[in-house]
Amino acid sequence: MSSSVSLFSLDPAIDRRPLQVTPDLSLADAIATMGNAQSSCVLPNMNLLLHTALMAARASSLLVTERDKLVGIFTERDAMQAIATGQDLAQVQLADVISPPVAVLTQSDSSDLFTALKLLRQHQVRHLPVITPSGYVIGTVTLEHLRQALKLDELLKQRTLSEVMQPVVQAPANSPAIAIAALMAKHAAEIVVLTDHKPDGSEQIVGTITERDIIQLQALRIDLAHIPATIVKSQVLRADPSQALLTTYWDMQQQHVQQVLIWQPDQLIGVVTPTSYLQQLELEIMQSAVTDLQQSIDQFEVEKIDPSPSPSPQELELLQDPTDLLEQMRCNRLLAAMALRIRESLELNEILNTAVEEVRQFLQTDRVLIYQFSNDMSGEVVVESTDSCWTSALNSTIQDPCFGKNYAHAYKQGRIQVEEDIYTAGLTQCHIDILALFDVRASLVVPIIQGNHLWGLLCAYHCVAPRRWRVHEVELLQQLAIHMAIAIQQSELYQQVQAELVERKRVETQIKASLAEKEILLKEVHHRVKNNLQIISSLLRLQSDYIKDEQAMASFRDSQNRIQSMALIHEKLYQSQDILRINFAEYILDLTDHLLRSYTANSQAVDLTITAENVWLNIDTAIPCGLIINELVSNSLKHAFSEMNHEKKILINVEPVQDQDQKFILTLSDNGIGFPEDVDFRDTESLGLQLVCTFTEQLKGTIDLMGKEGTAFIIKFSELGNPDRAWVNGQ
């Protein structure tokens, strides 16, 4: 039985739109025609090597015809011969140089791909005109077109570069282009390797130049005798002679190059082009490979035929195969297990690895993998399950230029690729090459979508032979892709939260370190300020030793006490665990103790009572408040008590105002002789009382005097600065 697909058919290899010219065309115009056709080969957004190679192949020859009948052919090799002569090509017509083609294929039912390849190899040419029995032109066959049509991927995986490499023709990099053309004509070479001398005398490869490069220059009417070959040098791709042919051809497509230089330690030994194997491998081996592939396709087509009549829907319902029901139940169990695993684990890699392994076992297929895309639509195989007999694809990076342009949008819309056989599915050769690299014969691919983002692909591959994918298998992969998308989203959110926590801890650590540094700095500042104030106090004390006037001496003592009250605050802050607040009760106790010792004669038998339990004030409030207490206590010690006072009492009370945050009442009273009734404490020449009124204003407070029994000053004030710095009851 004949297959609907014939891998031997010549038709796909015929270029039916060859360039045709008449014999009266000049050689200059003929070369210009080839050059112009080459310059238009690379279409916008078309970067695929195989596609551009086919278009460049069309531009590599001209069919010379009269009345649509073939009279000759003009190829790149003929162009090199003409250019190398150095003659005026505008004065020579094609008719003067062409001769009938050395090989022509007259199309018939028996003509196939290998018929054409035999003729090309027999006559050592790269172009084969195809004509009708009556001589009319049908098209041309080139090695590039045969490369596209022949399905030899399986064979190319098994062959190495050393089996197909061709000899290398080299020339100095500074050679003029005309010299390169002569070299190509002499050696019938389509590529010349350009070399340069290193300072140590050795040679280095700087690039390559091809026949097509020379033709482009000639088409531009450039004087080839005065232009160096390096102006059009091409990128160099190097490879080891033991590398597989198919891998090399894929690398060439990735790098967009048309040749690979073969190296054996520090020595250039050959060159390989995409069509080298067609010129070097034995025809019988290639024909046998295509025959084996054709037989597998034919066998698969036979197995697909069901000779029994199709049952009606009712019969299908009644006669449903229990095996299908069992398979569906297994699918449901697998999906349920997957959903449970996602809920129980946040380890994405573990989830995906388990999933692909279970899917491969369930489908009884050869390879299941997950392919993740990058922003540029290249990607990497991140998870794989495969049998040990197949080469692993894990961590393989693939950049397919045609995917983003031709397929990405469809996959975003939910496209599913179900291919029973990659060789009969109508795929592009670049796509077939990718799949063949991973030993794929049948493929089932579903997208993994995150919102509007195509995250990756879930791929099930059958490698040993073609395969028919069943409906429940397709549905299984679809549902699994949804579960995987959920797992990926869940994991990414978890990782995002973890990253935020790590960042928060880093910031907290940084803030703590910064605060610790600032705390040390502030403590040092308080320490230095306290020391400086004590130095000033000491200077005043030393100076007072030379003062005989009692009034001046008293002024010096008052100044010392004021300085000491401020220094004491800085000392408390330096010693405190909290450098922003001080325990005001402790501060008042130390301050008044100093004052009692300072005014020893007046302070004998003075009963001092302090009530300021758990009141904490910041430095902005504590300094003016401390100075107020310093002045009022000093006044009491100096003026309040007389010899008639047997019980001398001073009471200091600081308490918060009820229902008013950050407001306090300071009461300072004594049981002395009382404040003179004819004196206004707000308008007096006493520096101490002036300071008390000034500091009260600074605290945005009010001051009142009660004088029925002794003297009592009541000051209501507010916390200054940041309210968060003031604590009441230690809170």
Side-chain angles (χ1 to χ4, degrees):
M1 176 179 177
S2 63
S3 170
S4 58
V5 177
S6 175
L7 301 183
F8 291 89
S9 174
L10 180 63
D11 194 64
I14 299 176
D15 180 4
R16 297 182 181 275
R17 294 187 297 140
L19 299 178
Q20 298 186 48
V21 296
T22 57
D24 58 352
L25 190 69
S26 70
L27 290 184
D29 289 339
I31 293 174
T33 299
M34 298 169 73
N36 293 335
Q38 285 186 32
S39 63
S40 65
C41 284
V42 181
L43 300 177
N45 300 321
M46 179 63 75
N47 293 321
L48 291 179
L49 177 67
L50 290 175
H51 286 202
T52 56
L54 293 181
M55 292 183 286
R58 176 179 299 156
S60 66
S61 67
L62 300 175
L63 295 185
V64 185
T65 61
E66 285 184 324
R67 298 178 182 177
D68 293 331
K69 288 194 174 184
L70 183 67
V71 296
I73 184 170
F74 186 75
T75 67
E76 288 175 328
R77 185 168 297 175
D78 298 323
M80 289 302 102
Q81 295 284 356
I83 293 170
T85 63
Q87 60 184 320
D88 185 358
L89 302 182
Q91 303 302 317
V92 183
Q93 292 185 339
L94 284 173
D96 300 328
V97 296
I98 64 167
S99 57
V102 296
V104 174
L105 177 62
T106 302
Q107 191 174 28
S108 65
D109 293 339
S110 61
S111 300
D112 62 18
L113 291 171
F114 287 97
T115 303
L117 182 56
K118 288 176 183 178
L119 284 172
L120 289 170
R121 294 179 63 161
Q122 178 182 347
H123 297 282
Q124 297 184 357
V125 293
R126 302 198 297 265
H127 306 83
L128 183 66
V130 183
I131 61 175
T132 65
S134 55
Y136 290 99
V137 172
I138 295 176
T140 57
V141 172
T142 67
L143 292 174
E144 286 82 359
H145 287 87
L146 288 173
R147 157 77 175 108
Q148 179 80 346
L150 279 170
K151 307 302 181 186
L152 292 170
D153 297 275
E154 291 297 323
L155 175 63
L156 299 184
K157 284 194 301 185
Q158 306 165 16
R159 299 294 172 167
T160 63
L161 297 178
S162 61
E163 299 179 68
V164 301
M165 62 183 183
Q166 298 170 298
V168 180
V169 178
Q170 302 184 48
N174 58 359
S175 301
I178 188 69
I180 300 297
L183 198 61
M184 289 177 171
K186 177 181 179 181
H187 295 280
E190 54 181 317
I191 300 169
V192 171
V193 177
L194 302 176
T195 61
D196 198 3
H197 288 283
K198 293 182 180 180
D200 60 2
S202 62
E203 286 187 340
Q204 64 176 350
I205 306 299
V206 299
T208 60
I209 185 171
T210 67
E211 290 176 326
R212 290 168 188 173
D213 297 326
I214 300 295
I215 288 176
Q216 287 277 36
L217 294 175
Q218 182 65 40
L220 295 173
R221 311 287 180 172
I222 295 175
D223 186 357
L224 302 185
H226 297 90
I227 186 169
T230 51
I231 196 171
V232 290
K233 67 181 180 182
S234 301
Q235 179 183 350
V236 173
L237 181 64
R238 302 187 180 191
D240 185 89
S242 62
Q243 186 168 310
L245 272 172
L246 189 62
T247 302
T248 302
Y249 289 145
W250 175 243
D251 289 341
M252 293 168 72
Q253 293 185 64
Q254 296 278 294
Q255 300 294 328
H256 307 301
V257 299
Q258 288 281 4
Q259 58 274 328
V260 175
L261 302 183
I262 314 303
W263 288 76
Q264 211 162 25
D266 300 327
Q267 183 180 2
L268 177 62
I269 60 174
V271 63
V272 169
T273 69
T275 58
S276 292
Y277 71 92
L278 294 175
Q279 298 166 293
Q280 303 295 324
L281 291 181
E282 295 181 13
L283 283 173
E284 292 76 10
I285 295 176
M286 290 188 283
Q287 196 162 3
S288 175
V290 175
T291 300
D292 291 343
L293 182 59
Q294 184 70 63
Q295 289 176 352
S296 71
I297 293 173
D298 292 343
Q299 180 64 32
F300 185 66
E301 292 293 328
V302 170
E303 292 174 355
K304 288 171 62 175
I305 298 175
D306 184 4
S308 60
S310 300
S312 65
Q314 293 78 11
E315 291 174 325
L316 282 174
E317 186 174 354
L318 294 173
L319 301 175
Q320 190 171 20
D321 188 351
T323 304
D324 288 340
L325 291 175
L326 181 60
E327 292 297 319
Q328 189 62 52
M329 291 175 61
R330 290 180 60 202
C331 286
N332 293 337
R333 284 199 298 268
L334 182 58
L335 291 171
M338 181 72 177
L340 179 61
R341 192 172 293 112
I342 290 172
R343 289 195 297 268
E344 293 178 343
S345 175
L346 291 172
E347 293 295 330
L348 180 62
N349 196 57
E350 177 186 342
I351 293 172
L352 298 184
N353 271 296
T354 304
V356 295
E357 178 63 27
E358 291 182 358
V359 169
R360 188 175 72 85
Q361 297 298 335
F362 176 82
L363 296 179
Q364 291 296 296
T365 193
D366 301 312
R367 190 192 303 272
V368 175
L369 58 82
I370 295 176
Y371 179 81
Q372 182 180 359
F373 289 109
S374 304
N375 292 331
D376 61 355
M377 299 313 295
S378 64
E380 181 181 2
V381 178
V382 293
V383 177
E384 180 192 40
S385 172
T386 187
D387 193 88
S388 59
C389 64
W390 305 105
T391 304
S392 174
L394 188 62
N395 300 324
S396 298
T397 300
I398 301 173
Q399 184 168 1
D400 186 354
C402 66
F403 183 87
K405 182 180 64 176
N406 298 332
Y407 303 111
H409 180 72
Y411 276 110
K412 286 181 182 179
Q413 302 302 314
R415 176 184 190 263
I416 300 173
Q417 184 191 59
V418 183
E419 303 296 353
E420 297 180 346
D421 190 343
I422 64 172
Y423 293 109
T424 61
L427 304 177
T428 60
Q429 186 60 45
C430 64
H431 195 173
I432 292 174
D433 284 349
I434 297 173
L435 297 175
L437 281 172
F438 300 127
D439 307 297
V440 177
R441 189 64 188 274
S443 68
L444 172 56
V445 179
V446 298
I448 301 174
I449 301 173
Q450 291 271 18
N452 295 323
H453 169 60
L454 180 60
W455 185 91
L457 301 174
L458 172 58
C459 310
Y461 293 139
H462 208 63
C463 302
V464 69
R467 170 173 176 160
R468 291 188 300 278
W469 302 100
R470 301 167 70 180
V471 174
H472 72 268
E473 294 173 337
V474 177
E475 292 176 347
L476 171 66
L477 250 64
Q478 284 181 281
Q479 293 299 317
L480 277 175
I482 295 173
H483 284 294
M484 288 178 180
I486 295 172
I488 291 165
Q489 183 178 28
Q490 179 176 288
S491 176
E492 288 179 349
L493 288 174
Y494 173 73
Q495 291 174 3
Q496 181 180 346
V497 170
Q498 291 297 105
E500 290 175 356
L501 288 175
V502 170
E503 178 63 16
R504 181 175 296 179
K505 288 181 180 179
R506 186 191 67 81
V507 172
E508 287 178 355
T509 302
Q510 186 176 357
I511 291 174
K512 287 179 180 178
S514 178
L515 289 175
E517 292 176 0
K518 290 179 179 178
E519 182 175 345
I520 293 172
L521 178 61
L522 285 173
K523 281 182 175 288
E524 183 64 22
V525 168
H526 288 310
H527 183 60
R528 290 178 181 272
V529 170
K530 185 262 295 182
N531 287 345
N532 290 335
L533 289 173
Q534 287 182 337
I535 289 172
I536 295 172
S537 178
S538 298
L539 290 174
L540 290 175
R541 182 180 58 77
L542 291 172
Q543 185 65 40
S544 67
D545 292 341
Y546 298 94
I547 296 176
K548 305 303 181 181
D549 184 76
E550 288 297 327
Q551 186 176 0
M553 178 70 73
S555 297
F556 265 74
R557 185 185 299 114
D558 290 342
S559 296
Q560 282 181 276
N561 290 336
R562 291 165 186 149
I563 292 172
Q564 184 63 30
S565 71
M566 291 187 290
L568 184 59
I569 288 176
H570 288 285
E571 182 178 2
K572 289 292 182 183
L573 289 172
Y574 172 70
Q575 295 173 349
S576 174
Q577 294 295 322
D578 187 342
I579 63 172
L580 300 179
R581 299 176 291 274
I582 65 170
N583 187 322
F584 205 58
E586 292 182 1
Y587 167 72
I588 296 173
L589 184 62
D590 289 345
L591 174 63
T592 54
D593 180 67
H594 168 76
L595 291 174
L596 289 174
R597 285 186 282 104
S598 178
Y599 296 97
T600 305
N602 304 73
S603 61
Q604 291 179 356
V606 172
D607 183 9
L608 181 64
T609 303
I610 300 171
T611 305
E613 186 176 356
N614 291 326
V615 173
W616 295 70
L617 297 178
N618 62 35
I619 187 173
D620 296 333
T621 307
I623 287 178
C625 196
L627 288 170
I628 290 172
I629 294 172
N630 178 83
E631 298 301 327
L632 294 179
V633 171
S634 296
N635 280 349
S636 293
L637 292 174
K638 289 188 293 183
H639 307 296
F641 304 110
S642 66
E643 295 297 330
M644 302 299 294
N645 290 97
H646 298 292
E647 292 184 359
K648 302 175 182 179
K649 295 183 179 181
I650 297 177
L651 174 65
I652 302 174
N653 181 60
V654 183
E655 60 181 355
V657 177
Q658 296 295 327
D659 302 326
Q660 295 189 47
D661 293 339
Q662 314 307 331
K663 287 188 177 292
F664 300 87
I665 298 176
L666 166 63
T667 302
L668 198 151
S669 61
D670 61 56
N671 63 345
I673 61 177
F675 198 85
E677 294 182 359
D678 59 342
V679 177
D680 183 0
F681 75 90
R682 292 185 176 87
D683 186 14
T684 177
E685 293 181 357
S686 170
L687 176 60
L689 291 176
Q690 290 178 13
L691 290 174
V692 169
C693 293
T694 299
F695 290 136
T696 300
E697 291 179 1
Q698 182 177 334
L699 290 169
K700 300 178 181 179
T702 60
I703 181 170
D704 294 300
L705 173 63
M706 306 294 290
K708 290 183 179 180
E709 296 180 1
T711 303
F713 284 95
I714 300 173
I715 301 170
K716 296 180 180 179
F717 65 93
S718 300
E719 180 73 14
L720 298 181
N722 187 347
D724 293 338
R725 292 182 178 181
W727 282 11
V728 179
N729 298 326
Q731 300 299 315

